[in-house]
Amino acid sequence: MAQQTLPQIPIKKGEPAYKLWIFEPGWKGELPLILNPRQLAEQKRAAILPGHRLCAGCAAPIIVKLASFAFRGPTIVVNATGCLEVATTIFPYTSWAVPWIHNAFENAAATASGVESAIKAFKKTERLPWDHVDVVVFGGDGGTFDIGLQSLSGAAERGHDFLYILYDNEAYMNTGIQRSGGTPKYAWTTTSPVGSVLPGKTQHKKPIADIMVAHRIPYVATATPAHWLDLMKKVRKGIEVNGPAFIHALSSCDRGWRHDTALAIEVSRRAVDTCYFPLWEWTPEKGYMLTDRSLSIARNPKLKQPIERFLEVQGRFKHLLRPENRHLLKDLQEWVDKVWEDLLNRAVNAPR
Amino acid sequence: MTELRGYKELPIGAVPFRLSTDYKTGDWRALRPVVDNNKCVKCMLCWIFCPDMAIIWDGEQIKVNYDYCKGCGICAHECPVKAIDMVPEPSE
């Protein structure tokens, strides 16, 4: 199939840099997946426009931006309620350069199923002027771990062809940092406060990506914006597979995680370096495959850093670094090591 | 409250219809990124990681669109050659 670039003019001097994604009816082909940053900057435009009102230093628009570089053509974005939805579409403004639909917390995947079925019906009756229209869902951790899990599970079971990208900022950041199923153990949130009685949240994070693996859908992966090449490749794979795909992307939140705005990428990098958030992908044929930095750590265990490296930059874990809380830190380190060992045993490309 | 408005006079609801590029977020900024293009090696990492799409590559130089930059400092932190400085906004 002939490869084409976006049907937009590349930036020339004096031309505005922000444009909508418009695909003329009859547009054929696939947008190439460009991995050279210079070419990327010259040929690609993000699906999210500036002027959105997400906090300074939020990682969610970086995930959306990187994902949109990997879109292969006409794409419809379905957005669950959450920071991303609230801050990008404050009436009457919209930050989306692609068709976009909002829905409630609990039915993001159900809406995507409907959109995908409509596309299928249009295709069958030859009313769809394009070869393929992809459906991409962006959901936060509240809309995926807790409230939207039933619709996601149902859509995965019915086998609709869509890509679900979970940007996981590990609490309900939009409403004021309440704990969610995605909040890690011992993290401070406003509903799991740190004090003389409680050391923060007392339960572990839900293994959402492993839950999606258990559905045996065609593609499941984890990603972070810091490993941007890895994220783009995974998004493209997720779009290309025929059937539901799920990507769990860690998205740091400087307000909720209590770190400096400039450290948004650094924190995600440290999450992978400490094996708190390993990068892997899963397909039914191959099983678990470690990717990018996590593969390097599996091959050379000396690169694995202690969990303190991840915790020390975040205010929500400040209490864990106090001398009287050493046992909590040890507990967290043991849990991270156990999960990592478990993953190493399952991964097919990890050295034995 | 003088007169009730009918549905025809109300603005369009449920469909956000204006581009957010009309909404300048540049005034949120406390620190301003300044690019030293002599030091810059054009690796594009700032362009890739900018959450506000405020870094512009015009084919020769990295420029910052101060209309939208919120001054988070990710570009300065991620720059491998430290070509971006965060300087305080001039007070007016």
Side-chain angles (χ1 to χ4, degrees), chain A residues 187-256:
Chain A
W188 166 91
T189 65
T190 49
T191 48
S192 61
V194 174
S196 53
V197 180
L198 279 178
K201 192 189 168 189
T202 49
Q203 298 86 12
H204 280 301
K205 189 182 171 109
K206 195 188 275 187
I208 187 78
D210 289 319
I211 293 173
M212 293 318 290
V213 167
H215 286 73
R216 303 198 73 77
I217 58 174
Y219 191 75
V220 182
T222 63
T224 74
H227 306 82
W228 56 279
L229 278 171
D230 187 56
L231 181 96
M232 280 167 57
K233 284 181 204 162
K234 281 171 176 171
V235 170
R236 193 51 174 267
K237 277 185 200 167
I239 287 175
E240 277 175 355
V241 292
N242 191 14
F246 182 83
I247 291 176
H248 179 185
L250 190 72
S251 159
S252 79
C253 169
D254 56 78
R255 293 300 307 126

Side-chain angles (χ1 to χ4, degrees), chain A residues 57-63 65-66 224-228 231 250-254 257 259-273 310 313, chain B residues 45-46 48-51 72-79:
Chain A
C58 179
I62 309 178
I63 291 171
K65 180 181 174 180
L66 292 172
T224 74
H227 306 82
W228 56 279
L231 181 96
L250 190 72
S251 159
S252 79
C253 169
D254 56 78
W257 295 18
H259 62 72
D260 195 81
T261 53
L263 297 176
I265 300 295
E266 179 69 29
V267 158
S268 329
R269 193 175 292 130
R270 287 185 185 201
V272 175
D273 286 350
F310 175 59
V313 288
Chain B
L45 283 181
C46 52
I48 282 159
F49 289 135
C50 180
C72 60
I74 290 178
C75 50
H77 188 269
E78 295 303 316
C79 183

Side-chain angles (χ1 to χ4, degrees), chain A residues 13 18 38 42 48 50-54 57 61-62 65 91-95 225 228 261-263 265-266 269, chain B residues 12 16-20 23 28 42-43 47-53 57 60 65 68 70 72-73 77-78:
Chain A
K13 270 174 200 158
Y18 309 108
R38 190 86 58 88
E42 277 160 9
I48 184 165
H52 62 73
R53 280 173 259 182
L54 286 153
I62 309 178
K65 180 181 174 180
F91 188 81
Y93 299 103
T94 174
S95 302
W228 56 279
T261 53
L263 297 176
I265 300 295
E266 179 69 29
R269 193 175 292 130
Chain B
I12 311 163
F17 54 90
R18 279 180 69 184
L19 292 187
S20 67
Y23 188 88
W28 295 19
K42 279 91 184 166
C43 67
W47 182 86
I48 282 159
F49 289 135
C50 180
D52 299 310
M53 278 59 71
W57 168 249
E60 287 160 22
N65 189 341
Y68 303 115
K70 291 172 189 160
C72 60
H77 188 269
E78 295 303 316

Side-chain angles (χ1 to χ4, degrees), chain A residues 38, chain B residues 34-47 55-57 60-63 79-84:
Chain A
R38 190 86 58 88
Chain B
V34 177
V35 187
D36 181 353
N37 268 298
N38 294 325
K39 265 196 202 170
C40 175
V41 291
K42 279 91 184 166
C43 67
M44 297 290 151
L45 283 181
C46 52
W47 182 86
I55 305 269
I56 294 173
W57 168 249
E60 287 160 22
Q61 283 191 331
I62 291 285
K63 284 178 184 164
C79 183
V81 292
K82 302 287 163 223
I84 302 178

Side-chain angles (χ1 to χ4, degrees), chain A residues 115-126:
Chain A
V115 171
E116 192 260 351
S117 301
I119 291 168
K120 241 186 219 164
F122 271 124
K123 214 177 220 172
K124 216 183 226 172
T125 52
E126 292 175 358

